[in-house]
Amino acid sequence: MLLHWSPRSPFVRKVMVFAHETGLAERITTTRTPVAMLKPHLDLMAENPLSKIPTLRLEDGSVLYDSYVICEYLDTLQDGPRLIPAEGPARFTELRRHALATGFLDLLILWRNERDRAQPLPALMDAFAVKTQAALAAVEAEIDAVPRGLAQFTLAVLGSYLDFRFADLDWRAGCPRFAAFHAEFEKRPSMQATLVTEG
Amino acid sequence: MLLHWSPRSPFVRKVMVFAHETGLAERITTTRTPVAMLKPHLDLMAENPLSKIPTLRLEDGSVLYDSYVICEYLDTLQDGPRLIPAEGPARFTELRRHALATGFLDLLILWRNERDRAQPLPALMDAFAVKTQAALAAVEAEIDAVPRGLAQFTLAVLGSYLDFRFADLDWRAGCPRFAAFHAEFEKRPSMQATLVTEG
């Protein structure tokens, strides 16, 4: 399998953490495919017209995206316990928590884009800040109940993304449980193998 | 079930089309919850800290989001054939097509926000236009192969959203098959029951 990859995309990292946690990382070849909001990647767009990564090409030539779809596919290839529960309340709790973590990342990426503009809209910057505090509080409230699985991995990547792009936020100050979870989880080989680099 | 709803959100409409197509619409009570990028909705944020709709409150008080998660949940409540295939290649094709349609909607919403700013970034406006053409071409290439299901419903909502917010694009010009699909699908009761209104 070929994964369109870059070292700093949190959504790519989520997929790679999932692959490492499931022992599938060796089956994935990565190709560096930098994407940016301002620069559509024309080669990538032949496989994913939205010009987004991660995008995964399977051995039969078919293509999967987005990061959720790729992780669910990887979950079907592995032999261990499912990391996205197959059904019932456990599945929907997992998916809702994953949507929280993923939507939070989407918000942070938009916030960063706004922050970098010549004239950020003050009301929009304020809205991002308010939602971020609410999302952090929601993560803090339930982090200790999150089992090993896709949502947990995404929350770990989220913590690292906050460190990487929003160090000023000092997110740990109001989130001792999330901070403790993150400190422990980031020691895992899956996180160590996928460290964000400036390179 | 209580759905945080607004008449113009394409993601809300997707959920409501799904509910109508599965005979579940009568089990959903809607409450009008207007959200905007610039104005976090504080009451909604108690249930979804990201301040996004659709957000669904179940009878036991638990909450589901985003629109994909809600549709998958609704699919488990209905008696007909699954509208999101449960497994195998059919599932991943459905999910990838759904990701195309949903990611396309995300792109259009960002494009619209950019267009409405005092000083849109030309490079960003160009990037949205390029991706939109690529995404339309991708939809056109496979629309005739898309079976009844979540991806199909989302593509129908997408066509209507293009009409509503991007009439200038004249998307039908290069997409005769997508246009024919849309013309037929929009006659369905599920689409007629969820018409976008300015109200």
Side-chain angles (χ1 to χ4, degrees), chain A residues 42-179:
Chain A
L42 298 179
D43 288 341
L44 173 62
M45 287 166 69
E47 300 193 292
N48 179 348
L50 302 172
S51 190
K52 292 181 98 166
I53 55 173
T55 292
L56 183 70
R57 187 195 306 156
L58 306 186
E59 269 126 45
D60 68 2
S62 63
V63 171
L64 293 182
Y65 55 89
D66 55 12
S67 64
Y68 172 75
V69 179
I70 295 171
C71 289
E72 210 195 89
Y73 176 73
L74 294 179
D75 209 21
T76 69
L77 300 184
Q78 58 123 354
D79 299 323
R82 293 275 307 250
L83 293 174
I84 307 170
E87 58 188 7
R91 178 170 179 84
F92 291 103
T93 300
E94 185 78 17
L95 293 187
R96 195 267 306 152
R97 285 174 175 153
H98 170 261
L100 171 60
T102 295
F104 196 170
L105 282 168
D106 283 331
L107 181 166
L108 292 170
I109 289 166
L110 292 177
W111 192 3
R112 179 167 172 254
N113 289 343
E114 189 66 23
R115 184 178 71 182
D116 289 350
R117 291 178 78 123
Q119 298 185 299
L121 296 178
L124 188 52
M125 296 292 285
D126 288 348
F128 288 135
V130 166
K131 291 183 218 172
T132 291
Q133 290 308 318
L136 278 173
V139 171
E140 178 71 4
E142 65 177 342
I143 187 70
D144 290 342
V146 178
R148 171 174 160 78
L150 176 63
Q152 185 193 56
F153 305 163
T154 310
L155 288 165
V157 168
L158 166 68
S160 296
Y161 186 78
L162 285 164
D163 287 337
F164 181 49
R165 297 294 193 195
F166 289 87
D168 290 355
L169 266 186
D170 192 18
W171 64 268
R172 287 176 181 81
C175 296
R177 290 191 291 268
F178 184 25

Side-chain angles (χ1 to χ4, degrees), chain A residues 50, chain B residues 11 14 67 97-107 154:
Chain A
L50 302 172
Chain B
F11 296 110
K14 173 174 87 168
S67 64
R97 286 174 174 154
H98 170 262
L100 171 59
T102 294
F104 196 170
L105 282 169
D106 283 332
L107 182 167
T154 311

Side-chain angles (χ1 to χ4, degrees), chain A residues 37-38 45 49-50 63 65-66 72-73 91-92 96 99-100 103 114 117 119 121 124 127 130-131 134-135 138, chain B residues 37-38 45 49-50 63 65-66 72-73 91-92 96 99-100 103 114 117 119 121 124 127 130-131 134-135 138:
Chain A
M37 285 290 282
L38 296 178
M45 287 166 69
L50 302 172
V63 171
Y65 55 89
D66 55 12
E72 210 195 89
Y73 176 73
R91 178 170 179 84
F92 291 103
R96 195 267 306 152
L100 171 60
E114 189 66 23
R117 291 178 78 123
Q119 298 185 299
L121 296 178
L124 188 52
V130 166
K131 291 183 218 172
Chain B
M37 285 289 283
L38 295 178
M45 287 165 69
L50 302 171
V63 172
Y65 54 88
D66 55 11
E72 208 194 91
Y73 177 73
R91 178 171 179 84
F92 291 103
R96 196 265 306 149
L100 171 59
E114 189 66 22
R117 291 177 78 123
Q119 297 185 300
L121 295 177
L124 188 52
V130 166
K131 291 183 217 174

Side-chain angles (χ1 to χ4, degrees), chain B residues 98-175:
Chain B
H98 170 262
L100 171 59
T102 294
F104 196 170
L105 282 169
D106 283 332
L107 182 167
L108 292 171
I109 288 166
L110 292 177
W111 192 3
R112 178 167 172 254
N113 289 343
E114 189 66 22
R115 183 178 72 180
D116 289 349
R117 291 177 78 123
Q119 297 185 300
L121 295 177
L124 188 52
M125 295 293 286
D126 289 348
F128 287 135
V130 166
K131 291 183 217 174
T132 291
Q133 290 308 317
L136 278 173
V139 171
E140 177 70 4
E142 65 176 343
I143 188 70
D144 290 342
V146 178
R148 169 174 162 77
L150 175 63
Q152 185 194 55
F153 305 162
T154 311
L155 289 164
V157 169
L158 166 69
S160 297
Y161 186 78
L162 286 163
D163 288 336
F164 181 48
R165 297 294 194 194
F166 290 87
D168 291 354
L169 265 185
D170 192 18
W171 64 269
R172 288 176 181 79
C175 296

